[in-house]
Amino acid sequence: MYLLFVFLPFFSFIIAFFLSPFIGKKGTCFITTFILFMTAVLAMFIFYEIALCDSNCYFILATWFQSGILNVSWGCYFDSLTSIMCIMISVVSFCVHLFSINYMEVDFQQERFMGLLSLFTFFM
């Protein structure tokens, strides 16, 4: 669930950039906004599990390098502050995506904009 929360906006970016010629403007807007809605729902589940049930989560994604007893790895740590920020970022990003559907409807590169907006959300 945690990795899905982290990488769903990136999948939204991939879909918007590579499948937009096939699904069109409305399909791209619907899919990217729906994926961001699912991200916001996952953020609420993460908030419930981390902040309200008082359990932190840490997992290692990959080992960067090892040298003797030094082990440096990439990982994610979710605590109560992280879960609150996840809710704030995902809900605001969903609202921005929802607003951008109507605001950018006359733009000829709306699919590209929605994809880049999802990529921005991923990097946040």
Side-chain angles (χ1 to χ4, degrees):
M1 174 171 71
Y2 297 99
L3 282 179
L4 192 61
F5 169 78
V6 172
F7 288 109
L8 266 179
F10 186 71
F11 294 144
S12 174
F13 162 72
I14 296 295
I15 289 170
F17 253 63
F18 294 113
L19 296 181
S20 63
F22 305 110
I23 58 177
K25 275 187 177 184
K26 288 187 179 185
T28 303
C29 291
F30 175 76
I31 288 174
T32 55
T33 307
F34 180 73
I35 289 175
L36 263 293
F37 173 73
M38 293 306 299
T39 305
V41 169
L42 281 175
M44 290 178 196
F45 282 122
I46 289 171
F47 177 76
Y48 172 76
E49 185 174 326
I50 299 295
L52 299 180
C53 294
D54 197 32
S55 64
N56 297 338
C57 180
Y58 175 73
F59 54 90
I60 297 173
L61 294 174
T63 301
W64 191 22
F65 67 87
Q66 287 180 315
S67 175
I69 61 170
L70 178 65
N71 183 13
V72 180
S73 59
W74 290 357
C76 290
Y77 181 72
F78 285 87
D79 58 353
S80 59
L81 178 63
T82 307
S83 65
I84 291 169
M85 291 303 293
C86 288
I87 284 184
M88 185 171 41
I89 289 170
S90 61
V91 169
V92 168
S93 293
F94 168 68
C95 291
V96 168
H97 270 75
L98 199 59
F99 175 77
S100 296
I101 291 173
N102 194 22
Y103 185 73
M104 298 292 290
E105 72 182 348
V106 295
D107 191 40
F108 68 97
Q109 290 186 337
Q110 185 179 13
E111 303 96 339
R112 183 178 176 186
F113 175 77
M114 296 300 277
L116 291 175
L117 199 57
S118 295
L119 185 65
F120 178 72
T121 303
F122 168 71
F123 283 119
M124 276 198 294

